[in-house]
Amino acid sequence: MGATAHHDAHPGHSVPAQAAALAVLLAAAFGSALIGVLASPDTAGEYARLTRPDWAPPSSVFGPVWTVLYAAIAVSGWLVWRRGGLRGTALALFAGQLVLNALWTPLFFAAGLRGTALVDIVLLLALITATIAVFSRTSRAAALLLVPYWAWVAFATALNAAVWWLNRGA
C-alpha cells in the first residue's frame, strides 16, 4: 500500500465500537419496521382486502424483501459512520428516511390514510435519493447499498398510488 491508500475505518474506531455502531444502526433500521408491525399487526389481511392492480405482488413478498433492505440500510449507514461521515446532513437524511419509513405502515394500514401515506412515501423516496447523493461523497459502497431500497420504494410508491386510486370510494 502506498501513500495514497485509503483507509475504510475512521481512526479511533475500535472493533468493539464498530460492532456497537452496526448493532445500533441495525436496531434503528429494524426498529422502523417494528413500529409498523406493532401499529398494524394485520397488514397481510388488510392488503388482501384491498383492490390491487394486477401487477401487485402477493403479501408474502414484502417480509423477505424488507428484511434484506433494512439490513442494507443499516450497513450503508455503518459504512458512512466508519469513515466519519454519519453526522450533519448525512445523519439528518438517514434518520429522516427511517422516520418516514416507520410512519408509512401505520398511515396506510392502521389509519387507512392511503393518500397521506402516498405523500409520506413520495417524501421518503426524495429523502432516499438525497441520502444516496450525500452518502456517495463518503462511500460509494454505502450509496450503492441504498439503490435497491430506492428502487423498491419507487415501486411501492406506484403501488401505493394505484391502491389509493382503486380504493378511493371504499
Side-chain angles (χ1 to χ4, degrees):
M1 294 229 239
T4 60
H6 182 74
H7 298 285
D8 285 336
H10 188 273
H13 289 282
S14 66
V15 172
Q18 290 186 48
L22 180 57
V24 166
L25 290 165
L26 284 165
F30 283 98
S32 68
L34 185 60
I35 289 169
V37 169
L38 294 175
S40 312
D42 187 32
T43 57
E46 179 69 21
Y47 184 72
R49 289 186 288 277
L50 291 168
T51 303
R52 298 179 312 276
D54 293 338
W55 46 270
S59 65
S60 61
V61 168
F62 293 96
V65 168
W66 277 110
T67 299
V68 171
L69 294 176
Y70 284 124
I73 292 164
V75 171
S76 175
W78 179 71
L79 289 172
V80 172
W81 172 83
R82 287 181 65 208
R83 292 188 176 175
L86 196 56
R87 61 185 191 284
T89 302
L91 179 59
L93 290 169
F94 186 79
Q97 60 84 21
L98 285 177
V99 168
L100 289 174
N101 187 311
L103 290 174
W104 186 86
T105 300
L107 288 171
F108 188 89
F109 287 109
L113 299 172
R114 290 171 186 68
T116 304
L118 181 58
V119 171
D120 175 87
I121 201 168
V122 167
L123 294 172
L124 173 59
L125 190 59
L127 280 188
I128 296 167
T129 303
T131 303
I132 290 170
V134 169
F135 276 23
S136 71
R137 296 180 205 148
T138 303
S139 169
R140 182 174 179 204
L144 290 173
L145 276 170
L146 294 178
V147 171
Y149 176 39
W150 182 93
W152 183 256
V153 171
F155 171 76
T157 301
L159 182 58
N160 186 156
V163 169
W164 169 71
W165 183 258
L166 292 170
N167 294 274
R168 66 192 182 283

